[in-house]
Amino acid sequence: MSYAEIEWNNGIPRSALFNDVYFSESGGAAETEYVFLQQNDLPQRWADLDRFVVAETGFGFGLNFVITANAWLQSSRQGACLHFISIERYPVSPEDIDRLAEQFPELRGLFDALIKQYPPPLPGMHLLEFAEGRIKLYLVFDEIHSALQQITHEVDAWYLDGFAPARNEAMWSQDVFSLIARHSKTGASFATYTASGQVRRGLVQAGFVVQKTAGHGNKRDMLKGQIFEKRSFKTSEPWYLWRPCETAHRQVVVVGAGLAGLSVAWALARRGWHVTVIDKHDSVAAEASGNPAGLLMPRLSQLDDTDSRFYSNAYVYAVNALEKLQNNSDKLFWHQSGSVLLTSADKTSKLSQQYSNINEFVSFQTKQKLSAITGVAVNRDGFEFTQAGWINTQQLCECLAEACGDALTLVSTNVESISRTDDGWKICLDNKEDIQSNFVVFANAASCRSFSQLEWLPIESVRGQLSYVPATDKSHVLKCGISAERYITPEQDGIHVVGASYSAANDSTELDLADHQHNIETLHQVLPGIIDTSVDIRGRVAFRAISKDRVPVVGAVPDRTAFLRDYDDLQHGRISKSYPAATCLPGLFISSGHGSRGLTTCLLSGEMIAAMIAAEPVPVEKQVMDYLNPARFIIRQLKRKRV
Ligand SMILES: Cc1cc2nc3c(=O)[nH]c(=O)nc-3n(C[C@H](O)[C@H](O)[C@H](O)COP(=O)(O)OP(=O)(O)OC[C@H]3O[C@@H](n4cnc5c(N)ncnc54)[C@H](O)[C@@H]3O)c2cc1C
Ligand SMILES: C[S@@+](CC[C@H](N)C(=O)[O-])C[C@H]1O[C@@H](n2cnc3c(N)ncnc32)[C@H](O)[C@@H]1O
């Protein structure tokens, strides 16, 4: 994906690809106000609501978004949230957005906030937040048809803004209209500047009642309409269907005060929910999340697949979230010094093709360049992530707990079991009174398997040992983290953190000399001579939670018994649409299996779980939600019939 080529003419941007203008000469802002806000009856329709969902086809410069966000800030009620989904296949560069923003001094603040968080041109859904979370932008960089298949949101108002239909058929196809109808709430509206007969007929065929009305400026007509009768749609994989339910009890229990649990807590606290986080230790981040330094880095993939979408979207979200958290904290935990990744020559060559032209995200560099970037002699070519960095995970967790403020209660005890009662879930604690809650989130790494509801989940603990290595004359100049088979972070108080060993069949919590030597020797192969290989053993042992497919496990907890009953004959290949929708254990969620990339994945996963619990739009594509869904293991087994 690369940025759109824009031609500027008297302040009006034109797309070189479509040979069409982004805004008419009669005035972009006035046209947006008239066509999209007024004709969707906004802001009147949202005045009394806690939540309103707008979706747009064609984000372009974000002018419609910024004008809508501005109207929302002036007219919505306190505590209400605008969810704005916008789809864009040819992202406009932040430089071009900045150039347009100069024409709108009254909207400068919102444009600046947009540019600051603007994602690199990476496919997938990017979540951006404005005005302390009062506005959420779900920016989907993808082709319209696939993007509409990936949203799970129910929309109140549509802005159809995809260049003239005659110049861009893809944005106005019957399939696109059907998907728009499918994602609409009953009573949802649309507005578009075009009065094309083909668009009118297409929207009518999709189920909308369409009306022609006076256009803006020198345009005679435009279209608007509403959908009142929604057709029923069958989903192709009903076992992954997610149906949120609203609740009046805004209170959740989270098991585990590591990065996964505190990310969920922070996401819920920001929504005004109360969260009780229970951990068997007396302090937060006492296990895997207690490391003094780890690298924030996405997992690169040789394909634009679901895995790379999840990791790159989560990484971009984490970078923005960390900046916000760091700005509000006295502790320095986020060191945005960039990071370097060294892979084998073959992999480097394949990856550099996949990620060419996305230098804002990752760029290929020769070993000479990398030596200059890092400050130390590197003996392989590799990749530089300029927005990445290293994190003191323990302090990040403390900061997340502080950021929750009064919304968080921390309880130190072991959670023994949970069981269903008429009033929700009874949480049985060691040496403390039981707690009752409608919602429970398991964020207790591989220990989630000790609960009967999750004992089937294929997650295991994998031991990892960090080595603390004294800085040398050659190493203390290291400017950023370097990751190869082992990683090293810049020195803090004269010590580098080198990590980490990986041993599944070892549950020892003692430091191991062989692991220590292996850490140091492996690092020595890519960074020869920068650290002293004969130093004494010092370090830390912790355990990662690794799922069978090495992908995090995030979502609602399936009711395994119901799954085995409802999907028993899956291996015979019956048409999947004829199966019933998924049954989940009501109010139970999980965020675990973050493996060796939890710094990248926990924050977005926390936001996902919070959105599911609060019955809000989920900030990842459907394919990502399904990819992380805990039920995937049951479905795979049923398809192979090895249960
Ligand atoms: C050695 C090592 C190096 C790593 N380096 C990196 C890195 O560089 N970059 C990166 O992105 N990731 C790295 N990771 C991974 C990262 O640290 C984890 O993915 C992340 O911290 C996971 O957090 P968590 O909250 O899921 O688990 P944890 O931090 O382990 O938290 C789980 C919590 O649940 C609690 N708990 C368990 N059972 C119960 C119960 N029954 N009742 C109450 N409490 C319970 C535990 O006490 C624990 O505090 C590394 C991991 C290790 C081990
Ligand atoms: C008229 S402009 C939108 C202007 C925008 N709403 C704004 O406020 O700045 C139309 C947009 O649709 C995008 N677009 C065109 N074809 C597309 C497709 N097939 N899928 C997704 N986006 C597409 C274009 O790149 C362009 O940014």
Side-chain angles (χ1 to χ4, degrees):
M1 211 170 225
S2 48
Y3 289 131
E5 196 186 322
I6 309 288
E7 294 161 354
W8 289 90
N9 190 359
N10 291 332
I12 304 281
R14 170 180 282 272
S15 156
L17 181 64
F18 291 98
N19 190 21
D20 199 357
V21 285
Y22 283 79
F23 316 105
S24 76
E25 289 180 26
S26 58
E31 188 172 16
T32 295
E33 295 261 4
Y34 175 80
V35 174
F36 296 111
L37 281 122
Q38 282 183 39
Q39 305 308 321
N40 271 307
D41 205 12
L42 306 177
Q44 292 78 353
R45 273 173 66 205
W46 68 44
D48 296 323
L49 300 180
D50 285 335
R51 174 183 309 160
F52 197 81
V53 183
V54 174
E56 174 182 54
T57 56
F59 183 72
F61 286 76
L63 182 63
N64 290 347
F65 164 69
V66 163
I67 289 173
T68 309
N70 192 43
W72 177 262
L73 292 178
Q74 287 167 16
S75 57
S76 63
R77 70 193 234 182
Q78 222 192 347
C81 185
L82 171 69
H83 300 268
F84 196 104
I85 305 147
S86 193
I87 296 166
E88 180 55 64
R89 166 67 184 86
Y90 311 96
V92 175
S93 72
E95 291 75 25
D96 277 316
I97 295 180
D98 190 47
R99 185 164 169 182
L100 182 89
E102 284 168 16
Q103 299 175 30
F104 302 97
E106 69 288 3
L107 299 171
R108 190 73 236 193
L110 280 163
F111 267 120
D112 284 347
L114 170 65
I115 293 167
K116 196 157 192 281
Q117 305 174 69
Y118 199 66
L122 289 165
M125 185 181 286
H126 302 280
L127 172 62
L128 282 63
E129 292 175 2
F130 298 79
E132 317 267 301
R134 281 179 67 191
I135 299 161
K136 289 182 197 259
L137 170 62
Y138 308 80
L139 190 48
V140 190
F141 284 163
D142 206 346
E143 173 62 33
I144 187 72
H145 189 255
S146 14
L148 283 171
Q149 285 177 316
Q150 292 301 330
I151 64 171
T152 50
H153 321 51
E154 287 231 296
V155 174
D156 293 292
W158 290 89
Y159 298 180
L160 308 186
D161 195 13
F163 288 137
R167 294 176 198 261
N168 189 14
E169 284 174 19
M171 281 296 242
W172 309 94
S173 72
Q174 195 55 49
D175 282 349
V176 165
F177 297 142
S178 302
L179 285 163
I180 286 173
R182 178 177 186 158
H183 292 302
S184 295
K185 282 186 189 157
T186 304
S189 63
F190 82 86
T192 176
Y193 53 80
T194 181
S196 143
Q198 176 250 325
V199 171
R200 184 174 51 76
R201 286 188 295 279
L203 285 160
V204 168
Q205 196 180 322
F208 281 90
V209 175
V210 182
Q211 196 187 329
K212 221 184 224 181
T213 188
H216 180 260
N218 53 16
K219 285 205 182 115
R220 208 172 52 169
D221 303 312
M222 60 164 280
L223 300 176
K224 65 180 197 173
Q226 266 180 288
I227 188 159
F228 297 105
E229 275 175 47
K230 284 207 56 187
R231 299 182 187 145
S232 64
F233 295 93
K234 289 260 181 188
T235 170
S236 59
E237 292 182 311
W239 38 87
Y240 291 144
L241 195 67
W242 164 244
R243 285 172 300 188
C245 56
E246 305 271 351
T247 173
H249 303 283
R250 292 156 70 87
Q251 189 266 107
V252 176
V253 166
V254 175
V255 186
L259 188 55
L262 290 165
S263 298
V264 172
W266 182 53
L268 284 163
R270 288 190 298 148
R271 288 166 167 80
W273 286 57
H274 188 273
V275 191
T276 303
V277 177
I278 310 173
D279 200 288
K280 60 184 175 198
H281 296 284
D282 290 338
S283 58
V284 302
E287 300 210 353
S289 307
N291 291 341
L295 294 188
L296 173 82
M297 205 183 261
R299 181 151 89 187
L300 296 186
S301 157
Q302 289 162 28
L303 302 164
D304 166 25
D305 56 7
T306 312
D307 194 76
S308 67
R309 282 187 181 218
F310 169 57
Y311 280 96
S312 55
N313 296 164
Y315 162 77
V316 173
Y317 178 76
V319 168
N320 282 329
L322 285 164
E323 179 170 340
K324 266 181 231 151
L325 285 159
Q326 183 62 83
N327 286 343
N328 291 317
S329 173
D330 302 335
K331 297 187 176 98
L332 178 61
F333 54 82
W334 171 220
H335 302 262
Q336 197 176 16
S337 47
S339 293
V340 161
L341 171 69
L342 309 174
T343 53
S344 65
D346 177 46
K347 204 169 172 198
T348 301
S349 141
K350 288 182 182 147
L351 289 174
S352 56
Q353 285 163 28
Q354 169 69 12
Y355 293 97
S356 61
N357 298 326
I358 322 180
N359 290 349
E360 305 78 359
F361 175 62
V362 62
S363 56
F364 169 76
Q365 304 288 358
T366 60
K367 56 187 169 208
Q368 291 78 7
K369 277 265 185 69
L370 289 179
S371 301
I373 290 165
T374 59
V376 299
V378 172
N379 70 0
R380 274 194 213 163
D381 297 340
F383 298 93
E384 180 193 15
F385 299 87
T386 47
Q387 299 297 309
W390 63 276
I391 296 175
N392 181 321
T393 323
Q394 160 125 46
Q395 291 189 352
L396 166 61
C397 288
E398 288 166 12
C399 168
L400 283 167
E402 278 164 26
C404 293
D406 295 341
L408 174 70
T409 303
L410 275 170
V411 178
S412 300
T413 189
N414 188 53
V415 179
E416 294 196 323
S417 63
I418 71 163
S419 53
R420 190 76 194 152
T421 68
D422 291 343
D423 300 324
W425 294 98
K426 183 168 84 168
I427 299 122
C428 298
L429 307 178
D430 209 6
N431 292 326
K432 286 207 163 61
E433 254 183 51
D434 300 344
I435 299 183
Q436 199 74 31
S437 177
N438 285 333
F439 297 99
V440 179
V441 182
F442 292 102
N444 53 339
S447 305
C448 62
R449 286 189 72 168
S450 62
F451 291 81
S452 61
Q453 294 81 3
L454 282 167
E455 61 192 2
W456 52 271
L457 193 66
I459 283 199
E460 60 170 354
S461 268
V462 174
R463 183 181 181 280
Q465 183 171 310
L466 296 175
S467 299
Y468 299 163
V469 181
T472 62
D473 284 355
K474 286 193 180 141
S475 74
H476 82 276
V477 288
L478 177 64
K479 290 186 236 169
C480 64
I482 301 180
S483 172
E485 287 77 28
R486 291 291 185 273
Y487 64 81
I488 180 167
T489 56
E491 60 99 8
Q492 280 282 291
D493 303 324
I495 297 290
H496 295 283
V497 173
V498 175
S501 66
Y502 192 96
S503 24
N506 183 349
D507 59 5
S508 165
T509 53
E510 301 293 311
L511 286 171
D512 180 285
L513 183 60
D515 276 1
H516 183 64
Q517 282 166 343
H518 196 60
N519 276 347
I520 288 170
E521 278 157 20
T522 312
L523 187 75
H524 195 63
Q525 285 163 19
V526 280
L527 301 173
I530 78 154
I531 53 172
D532 185 350
T533 49
S534 62
V535 289
D536 288 346
I537 178 166
R538 285 186 54 213
R540 182 171 195 270
V541 173
F543 295 84
R544 314 164 178 92
I546 310 267
S547 73
K548 193 173 177 189
D549 58 11
R550 292 167 178 259
V551 173
V553 179
V554 184
V557 175
D559 179 338
R560 186 168 186 267
T561 311
F563 265 63
L564 297 186
R565 180 196 63 218
D566 292 344
Y567 310 124
D568 175 53
D569 59 351
L570 262 191
Q571 90 278 21
H572 297 313
R574 214 171 90 198
I575 303 171
S576 55
K577 288 178 181 170
S578 61
Y579 288 97
T583 307
C584 291
L585 294 173
L588 280 198
F589 295 83
I590 179 169
S591 176
S592 180
H594 293 283
S596 303
R597 302 264 179 196
L599 306 192
T600 302
T601 55
C602 283
L603 285 159
L604 183 60
S605 301
E607 193 57 33
M608 246 182 92
I609 298 283
M612 291 172 87
I613 291 178
E616 286 177 6
V618 182
V620 296
E621 295 173 294
K622 181 174 179 333
Q623 59 174 319
V624 171
M625 225 175 141
D626 296 351
Y627 191 60
L628 306 179
N629 194 322
R632 67 187 188 264
F633 298 107
I634 309 176
I635 292 300
R636 280 177 204 158
Q637 279 189 330
L638 283 168
K639 284 186 175 168
R640 280 183 266 118
K641 203 62 189 179
R642 269 199 261 126
V643 181

